[in-house]
Amino acid sequence: MANLDPKDPVPAGSTENFVSFHISELGFIMERRHFHAAIYRHQSTDLSLTSGPRSMPYIHELLNFENRKVVMFNLDELLMELFHLAEPGSIRVAIIAGLGIFGEKYRDVVTGMLDSRYGDCAGNALAFRIGSDGAIQGIAWSELRLLPAGLRTFLSARGIMGCRFVGEGMEYILDPAVLALPSLTSPALEVQS
Amino acid sequence: MADSDLISRIAEAVETSQSADQEAELRYRKFIIAGILDKRCAIPATVIREIVIDVPIHFVPFVPPYIRGFINRHGEPYTVVDLGVLFEQEATKERSFLVLNLPDDQLAFLVSDIHEIVKVPESDVFPITEKLEDERFFEGSVRLGTDDVFIVSVDGIRTRMAGDLGQP
């Protein structure tokens, strides 16, 4: 999770690497340390062409990466819906994270859910599809802003951790795990009920 | 008359004058009269930090419709509350913002336009004593000529926000 808590100070002038991308005119950044690989023009398997009870929100493809299949979560599709954004360009970027990003509390739940539906895929990783201009960018902590106090807790519980102003525009700081978690765990809750 | 007596009397006169000024000031209140769709409302001037016109609103998801997003004020995000949506369930098309001066939050009201700043005698301000459900956004009214204009309750709006966002 992005370190914007004033109780947890960072040295003045220090920078952090972020993955940045845009969808339409809106920018998003996520901490680089969550991810261990990025792939452009990836090869993938369309899940609509496969059989079995695999349907999950925002998961329509399996990514072919280093001779294994990785479940791909369409983060760009979720953000387009949430922020009412137009479809980005056709060239897509996928970034791959370990399931440790879900924290101890939810890692096993997500692992179990993916394993039950995508047992032939890597069980310790999840790919996130993002906007086409994805890049790693060093950003000074001093450029990042906490959200106003009245909305901070509410939005951080939904994956929006802060923001940065760039010229006339704005970038939201995202926690991809928190954003994706409801989609990844709702089938588990349905099964339990 | 000794010099010390003169100084004492001057000091007393200054004190009396200042006290009178303060009492006179207390008998008046300043309001910003803003248009909210086709109605007028009064916002206590003491809670307003600045008036901003025509800056972009950055949309944010998940929140109730009356929270339109954020504006950038001096590099800091301020939550934009659309008083048109809150009071009349109709979005404000114009871009006039009243940036609030709050110690614990960054909040701005979106209104249709700013009419005037008025200074009215305390006797023309009428607080609402009964807390009816419909009146939670207003703390009273102020007499302007022959009209009574509702006074927006910043606390009431913040209470509504906290309730909608699941916060105590």
Side-chain angles (χ1 to χ4, degrees):
Chain A
M1 183 162 35
N3 177 13
L4 293 178
D5 191 333
K7 289 178 292 191
D8 200 6
V10 292
S14 66
T15 63
E16 180 82 21
N17 280 338
F18 285 83
V19 174
S20 72
F21 62 98
H22 287 79
I23 300 175
S24 298
E25 75 285 355
L26 189 58
F28 301 96
I29 58 178
M30 304 183 290
E31 278 188 288
R32 160 72 179 83
R33 65 183 177 87
H34 293 315
F35 308 103
H36 56 75
I39 304 173
Y40 288 84
R41 292 180 178 277
H42 50 269
Q43 292 190 324
S44 61
T45 304
D46 186 342
L47 283 172
S48 65
L49 303 177
T50 66
S51 58
R54 294 182 146 192
S55 173
M56 288 180 77
Y58 307 106
I59 294 178
H60 312 305
E61 296 168 272
L62 302 179
L63 181 70
N64 300 322
F65 174 66
E66 292 182 343
N67 300 318
R68 58 181 184 162
K69 287 186 170 64
V70 177
V71 176
M72 183 157 66
F73 184 88
N74 288 359
L75 184 60
D76 56 348
E77 182 187 337
L78 172 61
L79 294 173
M80 278 190 288
E81 287 182 14
L82 287 177
F83 288 89
H84 308 140
L85 300 170
E87 180 82 14
S90 59
I91 300 171
R92 295 274 169 68
V93 177
I95 49 179
I96 299 171
L99 297 187
I101 64 167
F102 293 100
E104 284 189 19
K105 189 175 178 185
Y106 293 108
R107 182 181 52 202
D108 292 344
V109 176
V110 175
T111 302
M113 177 50 55
L114 294 179
D115 190 50
S116 69
R117 294 182 180 242
Y118 312 100
D120 53 336
C121 295
N124 59 354
L126 182 68
F128 290 89
R129 198 178 72 180
I130 60 173
S132 57
D133 64 343
I136 293 173
Q137 192 180 0
I139 297 174
W141 283 102
S142 58
E143 293 180 25
L144 308 182
R145 291 289 178 271
L146 289 167
L147 296 174
L151 266 66
R152 193 178 304 155
T153 305
F154 178 84
L155 288 175
S156 66
R158 288 156 181 78
I160 301 176
M161 317 308 289
C163 68
R164 178 173 81 134
F165 291 109
V166 183
E168 289 286 298
M170 184 175 180
E171 294 176 341
Y172 281 107
I173 305 165
L174 304 179
D175 185 326
V178 178
L179 272 166
L181 195 61
S183 305
L184 294 172
T185 54
S186 57
L189 297 175
E190 285 169 15
V191 169
Q192 285 172 8
S193 63
Chain B
M1 183 188 297
D3 281 354
S4 58
D5 287 346
L6 178 62
I7 290 168
S8 298
R9 291 188 65 182
I10 293 171
E12 272 176 29
V14 168
E15 267 181 32
T16 306
S17 169
Q18 284 177 343
S19 176
D21 286 349
Q22 284 168 356
E23 280 177 23
E25 193 66 30
L26 286 176
R27 290 199 296 268
Y28 285 87
R29 288 181 63 186
K30 270 189 187 172
F31 294 95
I32 292 173
I33 308 301
I36 296 166
L37 304 176
D38 61 347
K39 295 184 172 61
R40 289 192 302 168
C41 277
I43 297 106
T46 50
V47 301
I48 305 298
R49 171 181 291 178
E50 61 177 330
I51 297 169
V52 183
I53 309 292
D54 228 14
V55 296
I57 301 174
H58 303 283
F59 174 81
V60 65
F62 300 120
V63 294
Y66 62 83
I67 297 177
R68 294 282 297 274
F70 299 116
I71 56 170
N72 176 1
R73 291 315 300 149
H74 314 293
E76 295 292 336
Y78 278 72
T79 305
V80 174
V81 173
D82 185 339
L83 297 186
V85 176
L86 200 57
F87 298 165
E88 302 288 334
Q89 290 77 52
E90 187 178 334
T92 303
K93 295 181 180 67
E94 296 80 6
R95 289 281 185 274
S96 297
F97 303 90
L98 298 169
V99 179
L100 303 193
N101 184 24
L102 301 172
D104 57 351
D105 202 1
Q106 293 160 193
L107 202 61
F109 289 158
L110 175 61
V111 297
S112 303
D113 53 5
I114 311 294
H115 289 262
E116 59 183 329
I117 300 172
V118 296
K119 188 175 179 181
V120 297
E122 195 73 61
S123 57
D124 282 350
V125 177
F126 308 100
I128 291 175
T129 51
E130 289 183 27
K131 294 294 178 190
L132 300 176
E133 181 69 10
D134 290 343
E135 293 168 343
R136 63 190 183 277
F137 299 139
F138 303 105
E139 63 181 47
S141 64
V142 57
R143 173 82 36 87
L144 296 178
T146 56
D147 295 336
D148 285 331
V149 175
F150 280 118
I151 303 168
V152 172
S153 167
V154 175
D155 286 344
I157 290 171
R158 295 184 73 195
T159 300
R160 166 68 182 270
M161 287 175 66
D164 288 346
L165 300 173
Q167 292 166 14

